[in-house]
Amino acid sequence: MPETAKQPLPSGPSTLCFNKEEFMKDDFNVEHFVVECRRKVPLEMLRSDLHVYLKILQSAMIELINKDYADFVNLSTNLIGMDKAINNLLNPLNHLKHEILNVRNSMVEAGRAVDEKMKQQAKIRERKECLRTLMGIIQSLEKMEKLLGILPSKGTQTPHFRELNGQLIERVATEFNKLQFYVGKCRGLPLVEDIKPRIANITMMLQYSLERSFKEGLSSGNTEVLRDCLRTYATIDKMRDAESLFRSFVVKDYMEETISEQFIRNHPQGLEGMFSAVLEFFPRHCSKLCEITTGGSLHGPRDVISGYDFVVNSVWPEIVGNLEAQTPSIFAPGNPNVFHEKYTISIKFMERFELQCDSQASVKRLRSHPSYNAFMSKWSLPVYFQIRFQEIAGYLETSLNSPFTPSSDKTLFHLECSAVLWNCLHQCWSDSVYLVPLCHRFWKLTLQLLSRYAVWVSEVHEEMAARPLPQRESSSNLQQLAKPSNGDLGSLNATGVPLSATPSVASVVTVNNIVLLVSDAQKVTAKIPEFFESSVIHRVKEIGGDNISLLRDGLKDAEDSILLHLPQFESYLTSEITAQCIVHLKSVNDIPRLYRRTNREVPSKPSIYATNLVQPLADFLNSYKDAVSSSNQKQWAVVVLQSLGEQFLSAVSDVLTAVKKMEESLKRLKAGRGGNVAGGTQGMSDDDKIRQQLYLDVKEFGKQMASLGVSDSDVEAYGRLFETARSAVSTDGAAIG
């Protein structure tokens, strides 16, 4: 029962343990109802409430029946005799249904008869139309034969006709066009098959007359004759025939004479001169046709005969055909420089040729023409790129066989392989090598060159990690690193750049080479963004590339791969320099021996080791001042001085601790013996002299740092070192100088 038809249940006492609306739900379930009520009250109370509500429902039902009793009685009274009334209506309704079906069948039959008549009339109309068309064909044939004067002679198949010219050709062409239309509508009929020889005679006569008139117009340059001929060709839908006739009658002879190997050899400008001569064809032989078909200064839009494209359909195919047949050498990729020159000249010629097209639509037709695609496919661009790839990549690969050969031009890079890499990158995008269709290939080659350089840097790193430098143990001074030794590069010039190199990576992993490698790698990566902006980005935009950020990301990855191992190289260099400097710190442990029980004077100047402590670092920076940037010099110096300061602090702390212990031992000994064990001059003890000397040495270390351009604040270890030495002196009452 729909929700709107449900009668409300009578209300019950508020003390009932259930909701009466539960009985009206569509999904009412007795078991679920009992379970829910049992959770609230016992079963006895539920049964009692249900009995109460049952009595309420029975009372409500009795009241409802009593209320509508008269309606119930009247309903039963009104239904008496209803079945007889229904039976009385049944027969008339069946009769009416039968009559309606008869009418419907009659209408269907009448409709079918009308459709049949309509089909017959349509066939009659088609036959009448076909008959009129056949009559039109006969009339057109007789009219054209009369205009052409075709009078077949008896006993021969060769017709006799008179020549056509001027307006007569156009009249015949109009009638011929009408004949073609009629023949198309009646194709396959016996009459049409019978008159085909007559149509062929008329077609031959018309084409002959048109060709003769068109050739006369081309030879004499008569614009009106050409206009009439082109209009007639357009009328009979034979425009391609006119273009083919122009190609064979005019274009072919000119191009065969102009396009040849001999012409290229004899002309002072070679291939470029030949293409210039080809373009001269347009003002000489094609100007009048272009005026008629595209419009010119002497003719308005009404005089233009559209539908022709002599530039694309007549001139261009003949040019391509002669280039392929007469000058195949221009497509040879064997000599890449010559190939690049000829390809560039040819592309410029094509650009100039496109200017002869009268519209963008004509240019599109030219670029989609089969001969255009054939011409472009003749250029072996993949072969050219492969030759360039071997040339450029081979040049870099050869330089990496002797990677640490010094560069001839040290103003840019110090290593020849870095200079070669830079030249190769520029060569990829130079005007004498780059070709627009190969943009993606040269971009890939650019990334490959950078990747190869990064691989070489990685190989050097692996060799460096596998072969510790010999100078760590044998050299006492980094000045020796710049002098010839077994496996070293050779001598350095005044700028610290090597003058010779050995061929294998295994024999050239030296401090000198690592310095130059780091310097060149940083210069290469620093110059790559500028190189991209100046040499690459405008090439990419020429071909419509718009995702420049993606290319920049590729270069950034290449830069990161080159710089990947530079921190390890720098760490290796700084540890090498630090090792040379730390050697001098051994003298710190000798200071107590110099002052204990020697009656030496109070120290007033730093020790010799202190003045030489940073000398290896100073010599290194001076040797490579032109090879290493100032920022790198300071960075490396700070790292070395920080490590050296830590070692210096450790040595000074050890000495001060030992001095303190010795001093306390002497005090205890003095207290036990009751004697005077103090030694020294002017009241300063030996221990105070030791502390004073250490303080002077630490101050000298700070001065040496300052001479290298490094402040105290840059080296955190020096602050702790200085504070340790100063506090030791002030605590023990020694004079601070």
Side-chain angles (χ1 to χ4, degrees):
M1 178 183 291
E3 189 68 27
T4 57
K6 291 181 179 179
Q7 296 295 330
L9 295 176
S11 301
S14 60
T15 59
L16 294 177
C17 64
F18 53 83
N19 186 1
K20 63 184 179 62
E21 300 299 331
E22 291 289 333
F23 301 111
M24 302 298 293
K25 292 183 178 179
D26 295 333
D27 58 346
F28 175 75
N29 183 275
V30 175
E31 294 180 358
H32 179 72
F33 174 78
V34 172
V35 170
E36 290 295 325
C37 292
R38 189 177 180 183
R39 293 177 180 175
K40 302 177 183 178
V41 296
L43 289 176
E44 290 78 7
M45 184 177 292
L46 174 62
R47 183 177 60 182
S48 176
D49 289 348
L50 288 174
H51 277 297
V52 171
Y53 195 66
L54 175 61
K55 292 179 180 180
I56 294 173
L57 288 175
Q58 291 174 347
S59 300
M61 184 177 64
I62 293 172
E63 291 178 2
L64 180 62
I65 293 174
N66 292 333
K67 179 180 179 181
D68 299 327
Y69 180 77
D71 293 335
F72 285 118
V73 173
N74 292 335
L75 177 62
S76 60
T77 303
N78 294 334
L79 291 177
I80 298 174
M82 184 62 67
D83 53 344
K84 294 180 180 180
I86 293 173
N87 290 331
N88 293 334
L89 291 175
L90 186 60
N91 291 329
L93 289 175
N94 288 333
H95 180 69
L96 180 61
K97 177 182 179 182
H98 179 70
E99 290 181 351
I100 291 174
L101 289 175
N102 290 336
V103 172
R104 180 183 175 217
N105 293 332
S106 299
M107 293 294 293
V108 170
E109 292 296 330
R112 290 176 181 173
V114 171
D115 290 341
E116 190 66 27
K117 292 292 184 180
M118 293 295 291
K119 291 179 181 178
Q120 292 177 1
Q121 289 184 3
K123 290 181 179 179
I124 293 173
R125 283 196 300 270
E126 290 178 0
R127 290 174 181 176
K128 286 183 178 180
E129 183 66 25
C130 183
L131 182 59
R132 283 195 293 268
T133 303
L134 292 174
M135 293 173 62
I137 291 174
I138 298 300
Q139 291 174 1
S140 297
L141 276 174
E142 292 175 351
K143 184 176 181 181
M144 284 190 292
E145 288 176 345
K146 183 178 179 181
L147 291 173
L148 295 172
I150 299 178
L151 301 171
S153 59
K154 296 181 179 180
T156 180
Q157 296 296 328
T158 305
H160 298 281
F161 48 79
R162 65 172 181 266
E163 294 184 354
L164 301 179
N165 51 38
Q167 298 295 325
L168 187 58
I169 295 179
E170 191 168 354
R171 290 178 59 191
V172 173
T174 304
E175 200 65 34
F176 182 80
N177 196 37
K178 187 189 300 182
L179 175 64
Q180 292 292 95
F181 174 73
Y182 288 153
V183 170
K185 293 180 65 176
C186 300
R187 193 179 306 277
L189 295 179
L191 179 61
V192 175
E193 297 297 326
D194 293 340
I195 64 175
K196 277 188 176 181
R198 297 171 64 184
I199 297 175
N201 291 335
I202 294 173
T203 303
M204 180 182 65
M205 174 59 188
L206 183 59
Q207 289 180 342
Y208 172 78
S209 300
L210 278 174
E211 289 181 5
R212 181 182 56 79
S213 180
F214 189 54
K215 289 180 180 179
E216 289 179 358
L218 291 173
S219 301
S220 62
N222 191 324
T223 304
E224 293 303 322
V225 173
L226 292 175
R227 188 184 305 280
D228 293 339
C229 290
L230 294 178
R231 187 182 296 111
T232 303
Y233 274 115
T235 301
I236 63 176
D237 197 23
K238 296 291 183 180
M239 293 176 287
R240 302 291 83 84
D241 292 349
E243 293 170 346
S244 299
L245 181 60
F246 176 69
R247 175 181 175 180
S248 59
F249 183 67
V250 179
V251 182
K252 183 177 180 180
D253 294 339
Y254 184 90
M255 296 305 169
E256 287 180 350
E257 179 182 352
T258 304
I259 301 176
S260 64
E261 297 283 0
Q262 183 178 1
F263 191 97
I264 296 175
R265 289 192 297 269
N266 296 337
H267 199 282
Q269 296 180 346
L271 181 62
E272 188 172 1
M274 185 191 76
F275 283 141
S276 298
V278 169
L279 292 174
E280 291 175 1
F281 171 82
F282 290 98
R284 291 183 182 179
H285 303 286
C286 205
S287 58
K288 293 187 180 298
L289 288 178
C290 292
E291 289 179 1
I292 296 171
T293 57
T294 64
S297 59
L298 300 178
H299 304 279
R302 296 180 180 178
D303 299 318
V304 175
I305 303 175
S306 59
Y308 293 94
D309 199 339
F310 290 99
V311 175
V312 175
N313 298 323
S314 300
V315 181
W316 177 251
E318 191 64 30
I319 292 175
V320 174
N322 281 277
L323 287 173
E324 294 177 351
Q326 304 297 330
T327 59
S329 62
I330 68 172
F331 302 106
N335 188 327
N337 294 328
V338 175
F339 179 87
H340 183 278
E341 178 185 2
K342 292 182 177 179
Y343 179 83
T344 305
I345 293 174
S346 300
I347 295 301
K348 290 181 179 178
F349 161 72
M350 293 175 65
E351 293 173 354
R352 295 169 62 190
F353 186 89
E354 288 181 353
L355 296 178
Q356 306 301 323
C357 298
D358 63 290
S359 64
Q360 287 295 328
S362 179
V363 174
K364 291 181 179 179
R365 287 194 295 271
L366 172 65
R367 294 178 179 177
S368 61
H369 199 280
S371 59
Y372 185 95
N373 297 327
F375 177 74
M376 295 303 298
S377 64
K378 292 291 291 183
W379 297 98
S380 303
L381 296 178
V383 178
Y384 167 78
F385 176 77
Q386 191 62 29
I387 295 174
R388 289 298 192 188
F389 178 87
Q390 294 175 357
E391 176 185 300
I392 296 173
Y395 185 28
L396 177 62
E397 198 65 35
T398 301
S399 68
L400 291 178
N401 291 333
S402 302
F404 294 104
T405 302
S407 173
S408 56
D409 183 10
K410 300 177 179 60
T411 58
L412 192 59
F413 297 103
H414 301 286
L415 298 177
E416 183 65 21
C417 64
S418 302
V420 169
L421 169 68
W422 197 245
N423 291 335
C424 290
L425 293 177
H426 281 279
Q427 190 176 358
C428 289
W429 303 93
S430 65
D431 293 336
S432 60
V433 173
Y434 172 79
L435 293 177
V436 174
L438 299 176
C439 180
H440 62 292
R441 293 178 181 263
F442 280 111
W443 173 249
K444 181 179 179 180
L445 177 56
T446 299
L447 297 180
Q448 287 175 322
L449 292 172
L450 294 173
S451 177
R452 180 64 185 93
Y453 189 79
V455 169
W456 168 70
V457 173
S458 178
E459 290 174 350
V460 176
H461 171 261
E462 292 175 1
E463 183 63 28
M464 179 196 72
R467 289 171 49 92
L469 296 180
Q471 285 84 351
R472 182 183 297 275
E473 298 178 357
S474 62
S475 299
S476 60
N477 192 316
L478 279 192
Q479 284 181 317
Q480 300 298 323
L481 296 177
K483 297 181 180 180
S485 62
N486 294 334
D488 206 344
L489 280 178
S491 61
L492 294 173
N493 59 14
T495 62
V497 181
L499 298 176
S500 61
T502 53
S504 65
V505 174
S507 61
V508 293
V509 181
T510 64
V511 168
N512 184 74
N513 294 340
I514 293 176
V515 171
L516 301 183
L517 184 152
V518 171
S519 176
D520 280 5
Q522 291 177 338
K523 288 183 179 179
V524 167
T525 54
K527 290 178 176 294
I528 285 177
E530 179 185 356
F531 162 75
F532 178 75
E533 296 293 334
S534 62
S535 302
V536 179
I537 191 170
H538 69 279
R539 302 285 195 188
V540 176
K541 290 182 178 179
E542 285 178 358
I543 62 172
D546 53 357
N547 199 353
I548 304 299
S549 60
L550 186 62
L551 303 183
R552 287 195 174 96
D553 292 341
L555 281 182
K556 185 64 170 60
D557 292 341
E559 295 174 25
D560 293 341
S561 62
I562 293 175
L563 298 175
L564 178 63
H565 297 294
L566 260 60
Q568 289 87 339
F569 286 127
E570 294 176 340
S571 176
Y572 195 82
L573 289 173
T574 54
S575 63
E576 195 63 29
I577 301 170
T578 303
Q580 301 300 324
C581 296
I582 289 176
V583 173
H584 298 285
L585 291 179
K586 295 179 181 179
S587 301
V588 175
N589 296 324
D590 296 335
I591 293 178
R593 179 177 55 82
L594 297 177
Y595 287 96
R596 197 170 300 284
R597 298 183 180 277
T598 58
N599 292 324
R600 280 178 173 263
E601 296 181 356
V602 176
S604 59
K605 59 182 180 179
S607 304
I608 297 177
Y609 83 88
T611 58
N612 296 327
L613 186 58
V614 298
Q615 191 61 40
L617 175 60
D619 292 341
F620 174 84
L621 296 177
N622 184 62
S623 298
Y624 297 102
K625 61 183 178 181
D626 295 328
V628 181
S629 64
S630 58
S631 60
N632 272 355
Q633 286 189 20
K634 183 173 182 179
Q635 177 186 349
W636 295 352
V638 169
V639 173
V640 172
L641 293 173
Q642 176 68 22
S643 178
L644 186 59
E646 295 284 355
Q647 296 292 332
F648 201 175
L649 175 61
S650 177
V652 169
S653 298
D654 291 343
V655 171
L656 290 176
T657 301
V659 169
K660 187 68 174 176
K661 290 181 179 180
M662 179 63 71
E663 188 175 27
E664 292 176 353
S665 299
L666 291 176
K667 287 181 179 180
R668 287 195 299 269
L669 182 61
K670 176 182 178 182
R673 293 182 178 181
N676 185 9
V677 296
T681 305
Q682 300 178 354
M684 181 177 286
S685 66
D686 294 342
D687 295 334
D688 292 338
K689 293 178 182 178
I690 294 172
R691 295 186 184 94
Q692 181 70 14
Q693 185 63 60
L694 290 174
Y695 175 73
L696 294 175
D697 294 346
V698 170
K699 287 184 61 178
E700 179 63 20
F701 178 54
K703 293 179 181 178
Q704 296 294 328
M705 285 171 45
S707 67
L708 297 177
V710 179
S711 63
D712 299 350
S713 59
D714 294 332
V715 182
E716 182 269 339
Y718 177 76
R720 292 187 282 116
L721 172 63
F722 181 79
E723 183 60 27
T724 299
R726 187 188 65 78
S727 60
V729 173
S730 60
T731 300
D732 291 286
I736 300 177

